[in-house]
């Protein structure tokens, strides 16, 4: 098949590369000329493990190309995926659909022959029909069907998630579109990946329901962690104790500084807005959003308390990105926690294995070249993101580098007993 992928960000680039690996001929389009130039020159504009190899192999095989010209990519395509950003609209938290609608206008102008136009971006219920109306309004003669195909990949393990997803969800109304989407995902059909065909509205809602549910799980265990801290309980044991119940499941029960990233914060907010407008408010998700917002500040205060006040202190911070194995800083807890500490008089020295470039757009801190460089002479260390390289620190070296052996670990990557033995004052989340 010939596929046009509109938007070559975290989702578009991974999806485009993997679909070309499935054997399709894919053109990834982006209006960001610098991004396209980087890709054409063999570079990768984001950090995603393994992506460079897949892009290089398929580009070399001639199945994967990059373009700034949307019309050129859409002309003659069997399927056009819209994978542009849908950030929170400033002010009201609604999903900003301006990029999606602008792409729809451009696609309409270029359609020729039968095409399936697919929304892969996360979009509120009803958006697929709005995109269809835009295209029909502009091109009454166009032969196309709409499909909704939300993406569930996780940054950091995006390739695996795309190649071996738990499920693929496709919303469409016609047999022809269904057949085309089956063809797009043919290798996954052969693998017996569950592929769920639904209405477009249902498909759009599945994506928000999934993210809101996962955000709720995280927020729930965070509140259990707060209770543990009051009573001397251990939230990891609570998580294990409930997670072994198959109805609950073990995943997404790690207490920490609150969820962040490019999806959960904006998607929970957008769901709240849509639901309110529909007259079917989601009070649970509203509470999740509020609790998670409060949590980031609460974690900043937790750090402040652990340091006995931070005025005039130097704090070494390990990890800035919202999670490990990505350079994505969107809505990372660090963006709330570090400015709070700076406001309170702390000097921040930070090290993140991949995040400096993105972080520097938002955080004015002293970026250090490595872990021990960040620790050197600091009054204590805070672990904000659980990168693997922070999981096996040389405690003797850490102690020697720090002025005082204080560690605040917001990801619970060490055991309190181990840290006590090593002579640290150790503060973690929801554990005695
Ligand atoms: N990042 C994730 O982990 C993830 C996971 C699942 C779903 N999603 C959803 O996928 C969508 C894309 O997310 P992302 O993280 O890849 O965003 P992103 O910001 O990394 O990428 C979007 C890209 O689209 C480009 N773009 C915007 N308008 C365009 C146009 N008219 N023509 C061509 N290119 C255009 C931008 O320049 C940008 O490069 C969002 O709706 C998001 O919610 C993201």
């Amino acid at each position: 098949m010939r596929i046009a992928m509109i938007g070559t960000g975290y989702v578009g680039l991974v999806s485009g590369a993997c679909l070309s690996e499935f054997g399709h001929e894919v053109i990834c389009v982006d209006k960001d000329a610098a991004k396209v130039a980087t890709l054409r020159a063999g570079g990768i504009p984001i950090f995603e493990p393994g992506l460079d190899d897949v892009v290089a192999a398929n580009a070399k095989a001639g199945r994967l190309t990059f373009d700034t010209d949307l019309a050129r990519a859409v002309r003659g395509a069997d399927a056009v995926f819209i994978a542009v950003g849908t950030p929170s609209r400033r002010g009201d938290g609604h999903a900003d659909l301006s990029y999606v609608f602008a792409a729809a206008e451009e696609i309409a102008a270029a359609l020729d022959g039968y095409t399936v136009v697919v929304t892969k971006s996360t979009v509120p219920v009803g958006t697929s029909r709005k995109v269809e109306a835009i295209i029909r309004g502009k091109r009454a003669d166009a032969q196309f069907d709409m499909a909704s195909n939300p993406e569930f990949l996780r940054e950091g393990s995006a390739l695996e998630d795309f190649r071996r997803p738990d499920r693929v969800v496709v919303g469409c109304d016609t047999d022809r579109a269904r057949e085309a989407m089956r063809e797009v995902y043919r290798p996954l059909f052969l693998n017996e990946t569950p592929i769920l065909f639904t209405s477009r509205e249902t498909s759009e809602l599945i994506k928000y329901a999934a993210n809101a549910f996962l955000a709720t799980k995280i927020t729930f265990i965070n509140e259990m962690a707060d209770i543990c801290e009051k009573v001397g309980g251990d939230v990891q044991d609570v998580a294990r104790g409930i997670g072994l119940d198959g109805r609950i499941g073990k995943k997404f029960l790690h207490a920490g500084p609150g969820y962040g990233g490019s999806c959960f914060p904006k998607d929970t907010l957008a769901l709240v807005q849509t639901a309110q407008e529909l007259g079917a408010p989601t009070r649970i998700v509203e509470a999740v959003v509020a609790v998670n917002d409060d949590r980031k500040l609460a974690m900043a205060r937790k750090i402040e308390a652990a340091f006995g006040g931070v005025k005039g202190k130097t704090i070494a911070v390990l990890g800035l990105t919202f999670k490990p194995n990505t350079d994505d800083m969107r809505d990372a807890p660090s963006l709330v926690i570090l400015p709070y500490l700076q406001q309170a008089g702390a000097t921040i020295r930070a090290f993140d294995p991949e995040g400096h470039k993105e972080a520097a757009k938002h955080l004015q801190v002293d970026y250090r070249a490595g872990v021990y460089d960040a620790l050197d002479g600091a009054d204590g260390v805070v672990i904000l993101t659980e990168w693997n390289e922070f999981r096996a620190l040389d405690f003797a070296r850490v102690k020697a580098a720090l002025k005082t052996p204080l560690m605040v670990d917001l990801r619970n990557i060490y055991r309190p007993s181990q840290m006590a033995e090593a002579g640290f004052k150790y503060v973690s989340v929801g554990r005695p």
Side-chain angles (χ1 to χ4, degrees):
M1 287 182 103
R2 279 200 55 186
I3 293 177
M5 185 65 63
I6 314 302
T8 308
Y10 287 86
V11 164
L13 183 55
V14 170
S15 306
C18 289
L19 290 174
S20 68
E21 189 178 55
F22 288 178
H24 303 303
E25 192 185 312
V26 180
I27 306 180
C28 284
V29 180
D30 208 286
K31 61 177 186 196
D32 181 340
K35 209 174 255 192
V36 171
T38 301
L39 286 159
R40 281 184 166 170
I44 303 286
I46 55 170
F47 176 74
E48 178 60 46
L51 184 57
D52 45 359
D53 290 344
V54 185
V55 169
N58 289 284
K60 189 165 171 230
R63 284 188 297 264
L64 179 63
T65 53
F66 304 97
D67 213 320
T68 50
D69 186 345
L70 183 145
R72 187 155 51 205
V74 168
R75 242 177 268 128
D78 302 301
V80 176
F81 283 80
I82 301 176
V84 301
T86 50
S88 281
R89 194 160 71 191
R90 215 179 281 257
D92 64 4
H94 226 291
D96 177 354
L97 294 175
S98 56
Y99 302 102
V100 172
F101 294 156
E105 297 264 353
E106 282 188 71
I107 291 166
L111 284 178
D112 66 346
Y114 177 79
T115 314
V116 185
V117 179
V118 189
T119 47
K120 186 162 259 318
S121 300
T122 302
V123 290
V125 172
T127 303
S128 167
R129 290 206 191 268
K130 289 184 184 160
V131 170
E132 180 175 7
I134 289 173
I135 299 178
R136 291 217 188 281
K138 206 163 169 153
R139 281 282 306 281
D141 65 311
Q143 279 185 39
F144 74 102
D145 280 313
M146 286 297 305
S148 153
N149 173 220
E151 183 48 59
F152 297 95
L153 64 78
R154 295 163 297 175
E155 287 172 18
S157 53
L159 292 171
E160 265 312 288
D161 289 349
F162 198 94
R163 290 166 173 155
R164 269 175 277 281
D166 290 337
R167 80 309 206 178
V168 172
V169 174
V170 176
C172 60
D173 307 332
T174 68
D175 289 342
R176 200 166 177 191
R178 196 170 301 125
E179 278 319 304
M181 293 304 287
R182 250 197 207 118
E183 192 57 30
V184 167
Y185 285 108
R186 192 153 45 159
L188 299 184
F189 267 99
L190 299 177
N191 270 349
E192 299 188 0
T193 300
I195 307 210
L196 201 63
F197 284 102
T198 69
S199 73
R200 286 188 261 160
E201 284 71 18
T202 303
S203 163
E204 289 168 335
L205 185 57
I206 286 172
K207 175 64 194 177
Y208 282 96
N211 276 358
F213 192 85
L214 293 171
T216 303
K217 255 186 128 173
I218 295 175
T219 307
F220 180 85
I221 202 68
N222 282 341
E223 287 197 322
M224 294 303 114
D226 289 347
I227 298 176
C228 283
E229 287 181 13
K230 298 281 183 206
V231 300
D234 183 330
V235 74
Q236 286 184 316
D237 288 340
V238 173
R240 209 166 300 129
I242 63 174
L244 286 168
D245 184 327
R247 293 169 301 178
I248 296 173
K250 288 184 226 170
K251 294 188 178 161
F252 273 72
L253 289 177
H254 298 288
Y259 62 77
S262 66
C263 292
F264 289 180
K266 79 172 175 66
D267 293 347
T268 44
L269 261 184
L271 180 59
V272 163
Q273 292 298 326
T274 309
Q276 275 172 5
E277 272 177 26
L278 292 170
T282 51
R283 282 162 52 202
I284 291 175
V285 186
E286 286 171 20
V288 165
V289 169
V291 171
N292 193 65
D293 281 349
D294 290 350
R295 184 155 190 93
K296 293 178 185 171
L297 272 183
M299 290 298 113
R301 289 192 205 101
K302 183 183 178 89
I303 294 168
E304 196 176 24
F307 276 78
V310 296
K311 194 163 195 285
K313 304 236 168 105
T314 299
I315 302 178
V317 172
L318 300 183
L320 296 169
T321 51
F322 84 95
K323 69 169 177 183
N325 293 323
T326 182
D327 59 345
D328 201 337
M329 284 294 297
R330 286 177 282 185
D331 275 309
S334 62
L335 296 177
V336 174
I337 293 172
L338 301 190
Y340 175 96
L341 296 173
Q342 287 174 312
Q343 197 78 36
T347 300
I348 306 290
R349 280 195 198 159
F351 171 68
D352 187 284
E354 295 290 341
H356 290 189
K357 191 166 148 235
E358 285 303 309
K361 295 177 186 168
H362 311 280
L363 293 171
Q364 274 84 50
V365 302
D366 180 3
Y367 292 95
R368 294 292 174 125
V371 170
Y372 297 99
D373 189 20
L375 298 176
D376 194 23
D379 291 285
V381 56
V382 175
I383 297 178
L384 276 190
T385 316
E386 67 279 33
W387 285 89
N388 270 343
E389 70 173 276
F390 306 152
R391 289 179 184 275
L393 296 177
D394 175 343
F395 293 146
R397 215 173 144 195
V398 173
K399 263 174 85 177
L402 292 174
K403 256 197 257 170
T404 39
L406 166 63
M407 180 184 284
V408 181
D409 174 6
L410 297 185
R411 299 292 181 170
N412 289 350
I413 63 179
Y414 291 109
R415 276 180 288 115
S417 57
Q418 164 194 31
M419 296 309 289
E421 236 166 70
F424 280 85
K425 178 184 173 193
Y426 178 69
V427 176
S428 60
V429 180
R431 299 187 300 174

